[in-house]
Amino acid sequence: MSNDESNKYQNSILLRRVLGLSAALAGLWSLNACGGVEPTAEELGTSAQKVTADPAGWRQWTPEPSNSGGWTGGPALCEALTPSGDGYVLVGRSATTNRYRIILRQFFTAATSPADISNLTTFNSKPACTSLDGIHTLDSSLWNYQIAVVGKNASNNQFYIKTMKLDTEPAFLGDPPTQPTTVVNWISIDGNQYASAPAAAVSQAALLVVGRRSDNRLYLHQNHLFILTPIDPFHNSNWEAVRQLPQLPDGYTAAGDPAIADTLPLNGVVTIVTRATKALAATRLYYNFFDSATGTFQSWAQIPISPASVTVGSDPAFEVDLGLQLTTLYFRSGTNCASQPCRVFQSSGYVNLWGPFTQIYDGGPAADTFTDTPAALGNLMLEGHHIVTARNSSGQFITNSTNVGVP
């Protein structure tokens, strides 16, 4: 990549963040792909207008670099922001060692081979991953180019965190980035034990980690990052007192692994989504808002799933398009995946404005069934703008992408 090309690409990243901030500042929501107008921030949860999702543009499922022995559980995805452009980080748990391994893809370059980041620590959950660079600043000199990976330690069921700095050397076509370097090695967030995998996001320069304990209640941890010291943004001693989320309604209890996404970055509002179960009742998905400025939650609300033939067969994955101010929710539909194909479904919308869930499927072989919760990431400047990765029946990660919804 030439210097001019690199400068243009960095400018496009800045422009993307300006557009996202401008939309949030104005309190307006862009036209969605089908022409519907989204509500303002003051109308959270008040409108019943439907948004019809358009899944057109999804490409073929393509394999990520294979891991010897395969993977177990679902993957994690997070943005890999570097001076030479966007990329993504994929983290998974090795099926043979239960250690976390990482794959990086920078700009349009080839991906790296999986590399161990566990340092002999073993885990019994899927990982969570998030960039420690949000849109908290348009000054690239304050970007830290770091990511955080969180997982449930197999020895004590506590959430452990590791931060790493990405390769910031300019990428060239066909030249993959080098593996990230450790900044803070694996350390326990606190002494609590968890029954789920963690979910992680950054909002208004605060790192948020949510998980489910054995009482089937969700708990949120918040750690304010030092954004003016990009070399040293994360301190494990800076966690606030843990917050318990409200009880789910209608006799439902949280199940599986939650998801979290930064849905209103300027206002510091994140959305938490959980799968929920109840005896002799269908599985549901519920969402809740957390306002980091006030430290408060809203009441849980159910996400409508249509058509009736689509059933929730996995935990949710959740991502945000800051340009369109739309969120997209993903899950695997189907439960008996050994005898019938289980596919990934998605719908885009905002709050309770969800259209029908449609299948992400390219007409490939029926053997491409999925066995775990997918991972999703939006707002990339890659080809494509949204990506989803899932583990297939062969134990390997495969990825699909789309540019639909690029602002």
Side-chain angles (χ1 to χ4, degrees), residues 172-371:
F172 296 92
L173 296 179
D175 178 22
T178 59
Q179 297 295 343
T181 56
T182 297
V183 180
V184 176
N185 211 350
W186 294 109
I187 187 171
S188 178
I189 287 178
D190 67 4
N192 291 294
Q193 295 184 332
Y194 282 84
S196 76
V202 167
S203 178
Q204 281 207 329
L207 172 61
L208 304 171
V209 176
V210 62
R212 177 179 57 86
R213 295 184 187 169
S214 59
D215 60 0
N216 290 329
R217 296 286 296 274
L218 296 183
Y219 295 82
L220 181 74
H221 298 268
Q222 179 168 302
N223 185 306
H224 290 279
L225 303 172
F226 292 84
I227 64 173
L228 298 181
T229 54
I231 296 176
D232 192 27
F234 169 78
H235 291 254
N236 199 56
S237 60
N238 209 31
W239 292 104
E240 294 185 356
V242 66
R243 294 178 172 89
Q244 185 184 58
L245 274 74
Q247 190 85 35
L248 286 166
D250 301 328
Y252 274 81
T253 58
D257 304 326
I260 187 172
D262 186 17
T263 41
L264 280 174
L266 189 68
N267 297 334
V269 176
V270 300
T271 304
I272 299 166
V273 183
T274 185
R275 181 166 58 90
T277 58
K278 178 181 177 181
L280 304 178
T283 298
R284 293 181 178 180
L285 294 177
Y286 281 93
Y287 69 89
N288 201 322
F289 293 114
F290 173 69
D291 187 336
S292 61
T294 62
T296 58
F297 300 96
Q298 290 193 356
S299 299
W300 289 100
Q302 184 182 351
I303 296 173
I305 307 296
S306 65
S309 59
V310 178
T311 57
V312 178
S314 78
D315 300 319
F318 200 48
E319 53 99 341
V320 180
D321 186 314
L322 294 178
L324 293 180
Q325 301 293 322
L326 292 176
T327 58
T328 304
L329 183 68
Y330 305 78
F331 56 79
R332 188 203 70 210
S333 183
T335 54
N336 189 11
C337 303
S339 61
Q340 61 184 17
C342 291
R343 308 300 190 197
V344 175
F345 282 71
Q346 62 88 42
S347 179
S348 296
Y350 186 73
V351 192
N352 59 341
L353 311 182
W354 296 95
F357 279 79
T358 54
Q359 180 179 312
I360 301 175
Y361 181 48
D362 61 2
D368 268 347
T369 188
F370 300 98
T371 54

Side-chain angles (χ1 to χ4, degrees), residues 74-97:
L77 290 170
C78 60
E79 185 181 24
L81 179 63
T82 69
S84 59
D86 269 342
Y88 64 85
V89 175
L90 189 158
V91 187
R93 181 162 59 105
S94 170
T96 55
T97 65

Side-chain angles (χ1 to χ4, degrees), residues 51-236:
V51 173
T52 301
D54 181 4
W58 287 100
R59 298 165 171 82
Q60 286 193 341
W61 291 97
T62 56
E64 296 285 351
S66 61
N67 182 55
S68 177
W71 305 95
T72 184
L77 290 170
C78 60
E79 185 181 24
L81 179 63
T82 69
S84 59
D86 269 342
Y88 64 85
V89 175
L90 189 158
V91 187
R93 181 162 59 105
S94 170
T96 55
T97 65
N98 285 320
R99 297 178 187 171
Y100 288 156
R101 297 176 67 79
I102 191 171
I103 295 170
L104 292 92
R105 191 182 296 275
Q106 189 181 52
F107 194 33
F108 294 105
T109 67
T112 61
S113 297
D116 189 285
I117 59 169
S118 284
N119 306 112
L120 302 181
T121 304
T122 59
F123 297 88
N124 56 9
S125 77
K126 70 177 184 181
C129 177
T130 187
S131 169
L132 296 184
D133 278 310
I135 60 166
H136 58 264
T137 175
L138 297 178
D139 182 357
S140 60
S141 68
L142 295 178
W143 293 351
N144 57 64
Y145 307 112
Q146 294 183 28
I147 62 169
V149 178
V150 188
K152 183 157 67 81
N153 191 313
S155 66
N156 56 20
N157 291 323
Q158 297 177 15
F159 284 168
Y160 273 55
I161 187 169
K162 178 188 180 84
T163 64
M164 292 174 286
K165 185 174 182 179
L166 299 165
D167 175 13
T168 58
E169 292 296 319
F172 296 92
L173 296 179
D175 178 22
T178 59
Q179 297 295 343
T181 56
T182 297
V183 180
V184 176
N185 211 350
W186 294 109
I187 187 171
S188 178
I189 287 178
D190 67 4
N192 291 294
Q193 295 184 332
Y194 282 84
S196 76
V202 167
S203 178
Q204 281 207 329
L207 172 61
L208 304 171
V209 176
V210 62
R212 177 179 57 86
R213 295 184 187 169
S214 59
D215 60 0
N216 290 329
R217 296 286 296 274
L218 296 183
Y219 295 82
L220 181 74
H221 298 268
Q222 179 168 302
N223 185 306
H224 290 279
L225 303 172
F226 292 84
I227 64 173
L228 298 181
T229 54
I231 296 176
D232 192 27
F234 169 78
H235 291 254
N236 199 56

